[in-house]
Amino acid sequence: MAVKDPFHLAIQVHDIEEARRFYGDFLGCPEGRSSASWVDFDLYGHQFVCHLNPALKENPVSSHKNPVDGHGVPVPHFGVVLEMDAWEALAQKLREHGVAFEIEPYIRFKGEPGEQATMFFYDPSGNALEFKAFKNREEQLFKKS
């Protein structure tokens, strides 16, 4: 699925170099423009920006948990809806590198129109990420019933 209209998302991080290692080196997001206090990434075709907020070292990003399918989903969160094979490869990579999951990779809403593979984890600054996939993304992504 080509990104027709890419979104722009800016988040705060407590360390720009750590964000470069996590989003650039580890997740493989190509880096765009940058300065000493921010860096752009290509997050699967979307403009994703990490802005430095050194105060996060003492006061980490916080979120609350919303009950979904028997799990506490961290809010706010962001991520990407991948093809199933890319989702499985990312889940395996995260496991191999010992990334701690907030919600382990699993299939949510089994047998329902919104059935999807999902996983939640945090970046080094405490921002929650969700990556998900559908068997047929084009048909299922916004299907109500």
Side-chain angles (χ1 to χ4, degrees):
M1 173 167 47
V3 178
K4 181 181 172 232
D5 297 314
F7 67 76
H8 165 82
L9 175 66
I11 66 166
Q12 52 186 338
V13 298
H14 65 245
D15 184 306
I16 290 292
E17 291 309 314
E18 188 175 54
R20 279 189 163 104
R21 287 189 299 276
F22 183 78
Y23 289 104
D25 299 339
F26 183 66
L27 289 183
C29 299
E31 185 174 325
R33 295 177 302 272
S34 67
S35 78
S37 62
W38 57 270
V39 59
D40 281 348
F41 292 102
D42 175 345
L43 180 68
Y44 295 89
H46 301 281
Q47 186 186 41
F48 173 69
V49 187
C50 294
H51 286 272
L52 180 62
N53 179 354
L56 289 179
K57 287 187 180 190
E58 288 80 38
N59 301 302
V61 173
S62 65
S63 64
H64 77 275
K65 305 260 172 76
N66 189 33
V68 178
D69 194 36
H71 295 276
V73 170
V75 178
H77 65 263
F78 66 93
V80 177
V81 181
L82 301 172
E83 294 289 344
M84 190 62 76
D85 59 343
W87 181 88
E88 290 169 346
L90 178 59
Q92 183 62 33
K93 179 179 182 176
L94 295 168
R95 285 185 181 112
E96 288 172 359
H97 285 87
V99 171
F101 290 99
E102 178 65 27
I103 298 176
E104 292 279 337
Y106 84 107
I107 304 298
R108 171 195 288 167
F109 307 133
K110 285 187 181 182
E112 298 178 32
E115 181 175 314
Q116 60 195 257
T118 187
M119 62 181 139
F120 286 82
F121 54 96
Y122 295 94
D123 76 3
S125 290
N127 294 293
L129 290 87
E130 176 186 20
F131 283 80
K132 62 170 70 177
F134 295 86
K135 288 180 185 174
N136 185 330
R137 182 172 63 183
E138 297 298 327
E139 289 182 16
Q140 292 179 288
L141 184 60
F142 296 109
K143 189 171 183 176
K144 291 183 179 181
S145 59

